[in-house]
Amino acid sequence: MEKRSPSTQEHSRLKWVWTNLKGRRAFYGLGIMGSITFNVLQLTIPFFVAKLIDTFISGPDAAYNLEHNRRLFFIYIAAMVGLTLVRTVIVYATGMIFEGNSQWFLYRIRNVLYDKVQRQDMNFYNTFRTGDLMTRMTGDLDAVRHMIAWVIKTIIESVALYTSTMIYFFFMDSLLASILLVISPLIFIVILKFRKDVGPKHALLREKLSGLNTNAQENISGNRVVKAFAREKYEIEKFDRGNTEYSETNKKTALIWLKYYPAIETFANMMPIILLVIGGFFIIDGRLTVGEFAAFSGLIWAIANPMRNLGSIMNEFQRFKAASAKIMEIYYSEPKIKDAPNALDLPDRFKGKVEFKDVSFKYEDGKLPVLEHISFTVEPGETLAIMGETGCGKTSLIHLIPRFYEVTGGQVLVDGHDVRELKLHQLRKNIGLATQDVLLYSDTIDGNIAYGDEQLPKNEVVKFARYSAASDFIAKMPEGYETIIGERGVGLSGGQKQRISLARALAIRPSILILDDTTSAVDMETEKEIQEGLRNLDFPCTKIIIAQRISTTKNADKIMVLQNGHIMEVGTHEELVKKHGYYHSLVTLQTGEEEFGKAGEA
Ligand code: DGT
Ligand code: MG
């Protein structure tokens, strides 16, 4: 899109607006027709005033007409009043149509954008910052709405008014009209220069706003870090700097118009002067009647004002251009990870076999591979524990199972099928994942646990809370399961949040349960309780558990130790202890010599 010429880009932007007005185009067209009509009707009063003057005041038969043609006089007056009333009704209706349509468009696009954002893959979220996405869905959308509600309407009004007035002028006196017309190209040259100046400023302004929003968003959601480090003053100053820059850029953008404004104003003001001088001579020559002169001067604003409007139209158009580019980027974005055209339709519940075949993986924006040549199999119902030092690739590995990222080599198979052949929705519905960073919604505890299955009855919610050793602390909360969790889980301890997130993962009765360090923040006693719960689930389930504690992993069917993206050791607790490798040293470290001795003998 970047490579296209500016004019084609604008063309496709407007086309995009038009495409999305589908279903409302006729209505929008009606608004446009209304705009044209009421602007042509602006000619009513000057037209009839000219008629009245020439027929009853200054024309050669004025005295006669005043005596014998009274009826005509009243017809003219009635026509003036009647058409003015009609015009008022059309103005009102047109305003309603444009406003209604723009709100309708806004509603529609906002939904599409939200839908697009929701369906994006992880890489998208790594690329776009939340504050920027929010700007797109609010400020940028409003700029587009303004285009539909105001800019297009004003352009049509200006063109209709200018053209109809000019045609009327040509009918009255083509020479005078031509002289007035000569000014117009000059104004256009100035406006085109203005456009060149102001365009980049709007793009910059939009970036600054997005930066400001991102800063605010990150600070609000990370307020506890700010407080912990007592960095409020620093953050306020940082925001103030951004705010000042934004405000300065805004001012500079507004000042650009002031640079061009005097030229436009001079040209626009020349019109009445030209009319006065040349029109005056024409009346003296008898070329122009007094009534016609009155019509010219009563309508001179109708050709000067559209020119004055060009500045703000151009300004708003450039704002639209910057904003719509940002919106269209999301609008046309497609997740890279999506269903294959011939994706398999498996039975709703998977068996839960997970297999990695020589898997390698590298993040799109990363330089080095994170995983290399990983092969293992977990049979349905088995438990695999994954261990390894921080940063060795554990989280990256498990994220390949629900296909959050695409492997760069090898295959990830679930129930014997490459995950790329499965329907994403089906695959993910079968996986219960408790992520390393717990994010709970500002909803009740009940609502959080039942997130994956809204129909879950209350007693089931309690059961899953019991599995994850959360039922006791929930029961002690003031409103039990109806307690509303604050944003990002304010009001709950880390271990409590982890347990609710575990209950949430269990509540969909997944055939594959993946826990990423989910019990790291709970005490040993509770951990034991959770282990017990996980062993006694009332549904079959393959478990893949990332943990650092031997107590969590030792009962697993298989323990896999990763190092630097490679499998270093794999086996049961007993096998690995005998191996005297990394796992062995972990056991020594965590359970002490004595315990290790016992384990070693077993
Ligand atoms: P942990 O949770 O601290 O125990 O560490 P792991 O084992 O879960 O590590 P993991 O898989 O999060 O990260 C492995 C490597 O990949 C590490 O060098 C950081 C890098 N990495 C993680 N996430 C991203 C990402 O979104 N983009 C890029 N470029 N690199 C990432
Ligand atoms: Mg991790």
Side-chain angles (χ1 to χ4, degrees), residues 126 363 365-366 370 389-396 405 436 548:
N126 290 345
Y363 285 100
D365 55 346
V370 174
E389 55 201 29
T390 174
C392 66
K394 305 179 293 294
T395 302
S396 308
Y405 296 95
Q436 197 167 7
Q548 303 294 348

Side-chain angles (χ1 to χ4, degrees), residues 19-34:
T19 310
N20 278 292
L21 276 172
K22 199 165 174 223
R24 282 279 182 137
R25 285 183 197 157
F27 198 42
Y28 197 72
L30 194 69
I32 292 177
M33 294 302 291

Side-chain angles (χ1 to χ4, degrees), residues 64 128 152 205 252 263 281 369 409 428-429 486 515 553 575:
Y64 174 83
F128 291 101
I152 292 182
L205 207 55
K252 275 188 202 142
F281 278 120
R428 290 179 184 168
K429 269 272 170 213
L515 307 181
T553 60
E575 287 166 359

Side-chain angles (χ1 to χ4, degrees), residues 3-289:
K3 286 196 186 104
R4 288 196 223 155
S5 75
S7 65
T8 17
Q9 268 186 29
E10 261 153 48
H11 176 68
S12 68
R13 276 182 197 115
L14 290 174
K15 208 168 131 194
W16 171 74
V17 169
W18 186 241
T19 310
N20 278 292
L21 276 172
K22 199 165 174 223
R24 282 279 182 137
R25 285 183 197 157
F27 198 42
Y28 197 72
L30 194 69
I32 292 177
M33 294 302 291
S35 270
I36 295 174
T37 313
F38 89 71
N39 277 290
V40 174
L41 285 178
Q42 304 258 39
L43 304 188
T44 314
I45 292 187
F47 175 80
F48 284 109
V49 166
K51 286 261 178 247
L52 282 171
I53 293 177
D54 284 346
T55 318
F56 299 105
I57 298 171
S58 70
D61 308 323
Y64 174 83
N65 284 337
L66 208 53
E67 193 69 23
H68 298 98
N69 254 340
R70 289 261 167 98
R71 226 172 90 84
L72 191 61
F73 180 81
F74 287 115
I75 289 174
Y76 283 163
I77 298 285
M80 267 162 84
V81 174
L83 286 173
T84 305
L85 281 177
V86 170
R87 193 164 69 86
T88 312
V89 172
I90 297 177
V91 170
Y92 181 79
T94 315
M96 295 285 278
I97 290 175
F98 275 103
E99 194 54 39
N101 271 333
S102 73
Q103 290 295 348
W104 178 87
F105 180 90
L106 193 64
Y107 166 82
R108 188 193 140 103
I109 298 295
R110 201 186 283 128
N111 267 351
V112 173
L113 290 188
Y114 194 70
D115 194 85
K116 285 278 179 184
V117 169
Q118 280 293 314
R119 287 173 201 283
Q120 283 298 341
D121 36 50
M122 296 279 191
N123 272 322
F124 175 90
Y125 288 100
N126 290 345
T127 316
F128 291 101
R129 294 168 307 169
T130 312
D132 181 65
L133 289 177
M134 297 298 284
T135 310
R136 289 173 203 239
M137 298 188 50
T138 53
D140 290 340
L141 259 185
D142 196 63
V144 175
R145 187 196 70 80
H146 193 61
M147 177 78 186
I148 299 170
W150 188 85
V151 183
I152 292 182
K153 179 167 164 271
T154 311
I155 293 175
I156 287 166
E157 283 177 15
S158 302
V159 171
L161 187 61
Y162 184 88
T163 316
S164 54
T165 307
M166 266 304 174
I167 291 173
Y168 180 41
F169 280 5
F170 267 96
F171 266 107
M172 289 193 292
D173 192 304
S174 53
L175 184 58
L176 184 53
S178 308
I179 295 168
L180 290 172
L181 192 66
V182 166
I183 308 273
S184 309
L186 299 175
I187 292 187
F188 270 105
I189 293 169
V190 179
I191 288 295
L192 286 179
K193 262 182 82 75
F194 168 64
R195 177 183 117 146
K196 247 185 150 169
D197 259 16
V198 86
K201 278 277 181 286
H202 277 285
L204 184 70
L205 207 55
R206 199 253 150 229
E207 286 317 311
K208 293 253 184 271
L209 179 65
S210 155
L212 205 62
N213 281 347
T214 302
N215 186 298
Q217 180 266 328
E218 281 172 2
N219 266 298
I220 291 168
S221 50
N223 67 85
R224 271 179 290 172
V225 178
V226 179
K227 290 223 178 343
F229 287 84
R231 292 293 269 170
E232 288 95 337
K233 193 159 170 270
Y234 165 78
E235 289 298 342
I236 291 168
E237 276 166 14
K238 195 166 92 185
F239 186 82
D240 184 49
R241 270 200 303 280
N243 197 6
T244 310
E245 269 180 40
Y246 178 59
S247 159
E248 286 299 319
T249 316
N250 245 324
K251 234 186 315 186
K252 275 188 202 142
T253 313
L255 285 180
I256 295 180
W257 175 235
L258 283 190
K259 214 168 81 187
Y260 291 92
Y261 178 71
I264 300 283
E265 204 47 40
T266 309
F267 289 136
N269 285 336
M270 268 161 69
M271 302 229 174
I273 299 173
I274 293 174
L275 176 67
L276 208 65
V277 176
I278 300 183
F281 278 120
F282 281 8
I283 294 180
I284 295 167
D285 283 357
R287 219 190 121 100
L288 202 68
T289 67

